[in-house]
Amino acid sequence: MTIKFIKNADTVSHTWAGQSIAPAAYYQIQAVEMVSWSTNAQLLADIGAGLAVVARSDDGTTDMGISDGIDWLKDADPSPRDTDGSPIQRNKYTKTGWHYEPRSLDFTTGVYKSLYNRKHDGNTIADGTDYGDATLKFYTSAGDELTFQETGHESETEEQFQTRLDSDCVKTIMAWQPTHDMDIIGGILMIKDAPTADTYMWTIVAPDIPENLGGSVPHVAGGWNLAYFNSKDKIQVNGRGSKTVVYDPVYNSNKFGTIIKHAAGTNVGVQMVYEFFKG
Amino acid sequence: MQEYKGVRYMDLGNGELKVVWPSGVSSVIKSTIEDLKKEVDKVSG
């Protein structure tokens, strides 16, 4: 049963539905009285005049306004309705003021400086400001990271580094860690140059935190073989709902790592689009 | 749930903990609270 109170908001006592209520006092309507109170013309008029107030408790914390109070008293459903009286449903998918913002991260496996993650400013493709929240890294079959002008290759050119990548890089990791909170929905994967050899992909959330500590959670699991797809194919992943992911600069638990294992010299163009709502 | 350095956890019994990292990423792991705290100290530096 819904608990309903009537407060005398006047400076003198009032009697409604045969019940006298002192100034500032609350009266809890009993179950058997519901009909007589909710249809009492004098009470409804006095609520409208501000002399009586409907409340959900008698402690002054839940006093209701006139419209809401009368709806509550009469068990009316205040939800919006169409001209036939059918309730109008308005599902809300994210926080007020947030918007849908699919973010694209474009890169090529085993290719130095191939990550494109820029804003729209500037005039040429190379002009836009980099968002600065993603990295592209390359690894050998031994798990060693290959970096430009690393020890032993201090004077190499970018072309020479690319030659090393073509020879030794068998794993490319694109990591994205947005510096904002978001409600993530899903993602779209587009392949520019489909490989002919087996090429496997995973997406792992919080990859810096070991699995035994609750991190390294797979969002794309099992290893998707990109060799099954044709160039310019698109794969859409629909999360069937959104999940809030809060920016975590301490443990980096909001980082998304896309791992692609490929044959040395295999350059697969990949565009990852993360779909999310953000403020 | 309890919290240690921003990481929330709940003892589920049977040697299992539910761990929720600040981003909201969560999982059930086999660990003691003490061991979890040691690992959190390592990760947070």
Side-chain angles (χ1 to χ4, degrees):
Chain A
M1 184 192 77
T2 305
I3 305 295
K4 299 170 184 173
F5 288 86
I6 298 296
K7 176 188 178 184
N8 182 351
D10 202 355
T11 55
V12 297
S13 292
H14 279 272
T15 297
W16 293 295
Q19 177 66 46
S20 176
I21 305 177
Y26 288 81
Y27 175 74
Q28 182 179 345
I29 301 173
Q30 303 303 298
V32 296
E33 303 172 334
M34 286 296 182
V35 173
S36 60
W37 281 78
S38 63
T39 57
N40 186 285
Q42 186 61 52
L43 175 62
L44 295 172
D46 286 347
I47 291 171
L51 302 177
V53 171
V54 182
R56 293 194 296 269
S57 63
D58 62 356
D59 58 4
T61 62
T62 59
D63 291 1
M64 306 171 81
I66 294 171
S67 178
D68 289 346
I70 291 176
D71 284 342
W72 184 256
L73 179 65
K74 298 174 82 66
D75 287 329
D77 179 1
S79 57
R81 292 174 181 272
D82 67 8
T83 53
D84 297 328
S86 302
I88 297 170
Q89 230 176 23
R90 291 193 180 98
N91 291 329
K92 189 175 175 184
Y93 292 100
T94 192
K95 299 175 179 64
T96 298
W98 284 30
H99 63 278
Y100 174 67
E101 185 177 305
R103 165 75 79 83
S104 169
L105 296 129
D106 188 356
F107 63 96
T108 302
T109 59
V111 175
Y112 184 51
K113 286 189 171 178
S114 63
L115 177 62
Y116 194 86
N117 177 33
R118 295 177 183 273
K119 296 181 180 179
H120 65 282
D121 56 334
N123 297 311
T124 69
I125 290 173
D127 274 352
T129 305
D130 195 294
Y131 277 98
D133 56 4
T135 60
L136 188 66
K137 295 185 176 181
F138 311 99
Y139 297 86
T140 68
S141 58
D144 298 323
E145 184 180 352
L146 292 156
T147 59
F148 180 54
Q149 294 185 341
E150 63 187 293
T151 303
H153 303 272
E154 290 85 349
S155 59
E156 71 179 345
T157 63
E158 290 187 5
E159 290 73 20
Q160 288 169 327
F161 177 49
Q162 186 58 55
T163 300
R164 281 203 297 132
L165 290 177
D166 291 342
S167 170
D168 299 335
C169 176
V170 295
K171 184 168 74 172
T172 300
I173 298 180
M174 189 279 291
W176 173 58
Q177 186 179 10
T179 56
H180 53 76
D181 299 346
M182 63 179 173
D183 285 350
I184 192 155
I185 306 159
I188 305 166
L189 171 71
M190 301 173 197
I191 302 168
K192 188 175 183 182
D193 309 299
T196 53
D198 289 340
T199 300
Y200 290 97
M201 188 195 97
W202 296 258
T203 294
I204 306 296
V205 181
D208 298 343
I209 301 169
E211 193 173 349
N212 66 328
L213 291 179
S216 299
V217 178
H219 276 209
V220 172
W224 288 7
N225 192 344
L226 304 185
Y228 281 105
F229 302 98
N230 296 312
S231 293
K232 298 194 177 177
D233 268 0
K234 182 176 77 173
I235 308 162
Q236 181 149 16
V237 179
N238 179 354
R240 275 82 171 173
S242 64
K243 176 177 174 51
T244 298
V245 180
V246 176
Y247 175 43
D248 172 16
V250 178
Y251 304 102
N252 305 316
S253 61
N254 69 318
K255 182 186 288 185
F256 289 70
T258 293
I259 300 162
I260 300 180
K261 293 182 180 178
H262 50 85
T266 297
N267 303 136
V268 182
V270 173
Q271 181 165 252
M272 297 279 300
V273 179
Y274 288 98
E275 292 185 287
F276 55 82
F277 300 109
K278 72 179 284 284
Chain B
M1 298 192 92
Q2 294 177 288
E3 186 173 319
Y4 181 71
K5 293 188 174 181
V7 179
R8 290 180 290 150
Y9 61 91
M10 180 188 291
D11 192 344
L12 302 177
N14 301 319
E16 291 186 329
L17 298 176
K18 179 177 175 64
V19 181
V20 183
W21 290 86
S23 67
V25 167
S26 67
S27 197
V28 175
I29 63 171
K30 293 273 187 189
S31 178
T32 64
I33 294 171
E34 291 69 30
D35 286 345
L36 173 66
K37 288 181 176 178
K38 285 179 192 171
E39 296 296 333
V40 168
D41 287 339
K42 285 184 198 171
V43 177
S44 65

